[in-house]
Amino acid sequence: MTTRDTTTATTDTSTPPDTTATPHTTATPHTTARTATAPTTIPTTPAERLRRWRLVLGAESPTGAGGGFAALSGADAAMDRALEALYGSQGDPGARSAGSREAGLGASAPRVARWLGDIRTYFPASVVQVMQRDAIDRLGLAALLLEPEMLEAVEADVHLVGTLLSLHKAMPETTKETARAVVRKVVEDLEKRLATRTRATLTGALDRSARIARPRHRDIDWDRTIRANLKHYLPEHRTVVPERLIGYGRAARVVKKDVILCIDQSGSMAASVVYASVFGAVLASMRSLDTRLVVFDTAVVDLTDQLSDPVDVLFGTQLGGGTDINRALAYCQSRITRPAETVVVLISDLYEGGIRDGMLERVAAMKAAGVQFVTLLALSDEGAPAYDREHAAALAALGAPAFACTPDLFPDVMAAALEKRPLPVPDAAG
């Protein structure tokens, strides 16, 4: 059952007047889902507190309308109906009793379209996206996304893109162009958010990784030069006499590093595939990097020639299926020509369906040859998914710690790998 941990709004934690039960122990899914209706400030009047608690708990709570809550009206009633349609009676139209309020969206496309319009009217975009995901998961509405009218009505986000990618083989021709437009909008928004910082961070890392022994004046890294020559400080002159200059070249016209993104396209990695495809396109646009993008399940597909358009990359993936990490790494290993100048990024939950020992032997061989190997359990905002802890521990023992990475942290992870310094592994990593 999905909870609303991803919503940013909070609710009034004061005790509601009806003390026959504690909200945190009696609440149905309304307690978590409906907190999106509550304000970030605590209501000051008893009536307002009652109203907020009614919206949070829903009519099915033991402290419902018969327990001291006034009936809702107007916009509040419409908001409550939209929530009840999704979360009432556990989202199962067949589970409702004869006397309960009608809930659920059923299989009617017009009814779903109206519901999508309602939630966009009453909730912020971030909450709309959460409710849409819950509707797809709880009420089995994925099939309705094959209709152009539905796609035009939904609030597009990374998770919706993942759902569309898993469905695109089954889409009718009339829907494919609409789906592609939805995916392109999300991709363009992600590129605007991520591209500038990624390029700036990695350009600096590439410059620093290309240090030279006799730099020209404009290429001197003064910070490192001063630290390296502190022992030559002359107190009487209050200055440092640099015996050794440290600098880096800035000729970015040559390829300095090779990057291979190796992406698990099993269904659980949908959001990671979207982000990795966007980052792959950004890295491919940098002349000083030679970027290769490989996706895999039990087969391996090289999508490098499509990196100029991440939407093409995404529609070249096929979410779902098994996983053969060993086979994918064998392919990546065969494409390495400059091990000491190569970074391999494996993005996978590490549930290996292939040869486990072979996978670990390939990682060990690549690292022994000088390859910088990075293992990401996820590249998304949700944190680490379920993953194979035994394999993660084995990779960590080889010097390739496995951890979940947010899109905002990814440029720093890549910069550290390019400079061959310790990775900024989050404290909460598994």
Side-chain angles (χ1 to χ4, degrees):
M1 186 175 295
T2 304
T3 63
R4 294 287 66 75
D5 294 337
T6 53
T7 57
T8 56
T10 58
T11 185
D12 173 18
T13 57
S14 58
T15 304
D18 180 14
T19 58
T20 59
T22 303
H24 294 294
T25 59
T26 63
T28 66
H30 293 98
T31 304
T32 49
R34 290 173 176 260
T35 53
T37 66
T40 55
T41 57
I42 297 177
T44 56
T45 66
E48 181 65 7
R49 285 199 296 272
L50 281 172
R51 170 181 170 271
R52 299 290 177 174
W53 275 110
R54 169 60 181 82
L55 286 170
V56 168
L57 298 177
E60 295 177 353
S61 167
T63 56
F69 289 121
L72 298 175
S73 61
D76 286 347
M79 188 185 304
D80 188 59
R81 284 193 297 271
L83 289 163
E84 188 74 14
L86 177 56
Y87 300 108
S89 298
Q90 297 155 1
D92 180 3
R96 291 185 295 274
S97 64
S100 66
R101 175 189 295 177
E102 183 180 4
L105 301 177
S108 167
R111 187 173 187 181
V112 176
R114 287 195 298 273
W115 180 80
L116 289 169
D118 287 344
I119 64 175
R120 288 163 71 98
T121 298
Y122 297 113
F123 303 97
S126 59
V127 177
V128 169
Q129 292 167 1
V130 169
M131 294 178 71
Q132 286 176 173
R133 294 202 297 272
D134 281 357
I136 293 170
D137 294 340
R138 292 167 58 86
L139 303 180
L141 299 185
L144 289 176
L145 293 179
L146 301 180
E147 301 182 22
E149 295 79 8
M150 292 301 99
L151 287 179
E152 292 170 357
V154 297
E155 187 79 27
D157 69 345
V158 169
H159 300 278
L160 177 64
V161 170
T163 302
L164 293 179
L165 295 178
S166 67
L167 295 171
H168 80 272
K169 298 294 184 184
M171 284 182 180
E173 291 299 323
T174 54
T175 305
K176 286 184 177 178
E177 285 306 310
T178 305
R180 196 174 185 88
V182 170
V183 172
R184 185 168 297 281
K185 178 182 182 301
V186 174
V187 166
E188 288 175 350
D189 289 345
L190 290 176
E191 284 186 303
K192 289 177 185 177
R193 167 188 159 192
L194 302 170
T196 300
R197 179 170 177 268
T198 299
R199 291 193 185 100
T201 301
L202 299 191
T203 297
L206 288 165
D207 286 342
R208 290 188 294 272
S209 69
R211 292 192 183 90
I212 54 180
R214 300 177 64 183
R216 292 173 295 181
H217 185 272
R218 65 180 180 179
D219 292 332
I220 296 174
D221 185 335
W222 288 108
D223 201 40
R224 290 180 176 270
T225 294
I226 291 171
R227 287 203 298 269
N229 290 278
L230 285 175
K231 62 183 177 180
H232 303 301
Y233 178 69
L234 300 179
E236 63 273 21
H237 296 290
R238 301 182 65 185
T239 189
V240 171
V241 177
E243 181 181 89
R244 180 170 64 95
L245 297 178
I246 300 175
Y248 43 83
R250 295 185 180 272
R253 298 185 183 276
V254 297
V255 174
K256 295 178 179 176
K257 297 285 185 179
D258 299 333
V259 174
I260 301 177
L261 299 178
C262 186
I263 309 167
D264 183 344
Q265 60 177 352
S266 58
S268 61
M269 302 297 292
S272 298
V273 171
V274 176
Y275 279 115
S277 299
V278 172
F279 277 118
V282 173
L283 298 182
S285 70
M286 300 178 64
R287 290 178 297 178
S288 51
L289 290 176
D290 183 7
T291 302
R292 182 176 294 275
L293 189 143
V294 177
V295 299
F296 68 93
D297 41 36
T298 52
V300 180
V301 181
D302 193 326
L303 298 176
T304 302
D305 60 350
Q306 299 179 38
L307 275 174
S308 59
D309 187 347
V311 177
D312 287 341
V313 171
L314 288 170
F315 278 95
T317 63
Q318 184 173 339
L319 293 177
T323 307
D324 193 338
I325 303 173
N326 178 56
R327 186 175 184 180
L329 292 181
Y331 178 83
C332 294
Q333 192 175 22
S334 72
R335 294 300 182 269
I336 296 174
T337 57
R338 304 188 304 159
E341 305 301 329
T342 299
V343 177
V344 174
V345 182
L346 172 64
I347 304 174
S348 173
D349 55 16
L350 300 180
Y351 286 110
E352 172 64 310
I355 304 172
R356 175 186 184 273
D357 291 341
M359 173 188 75
L360 297 176
E361 287 171 4
R362 293 191 188 282
V363 174
M366 282 188 272
K367 287 190 65 64
V371 173
Q372 295 297 110
F373 196 92
V374 179
T375 310
L376 301 181
L377 301 170
L379 178 56
S380 68
D381 292 303
E382 280 70 43
Y387 63 94
D388 191 306
R389 294 181 179 273
E390 183 179 349
H391 287 168
L395 287 172
L398 294 174
F403 58 97
C405 176
T406 65
D408 290 333
L409 180 63
F410 185 74
D412 297 321
V413 170
M414 286 301 301
L418 292 171
E419 294 184 67
K420 300 184 179 181
R421 54 183 172 82
L423 301 178
V425 180
D427 292 338

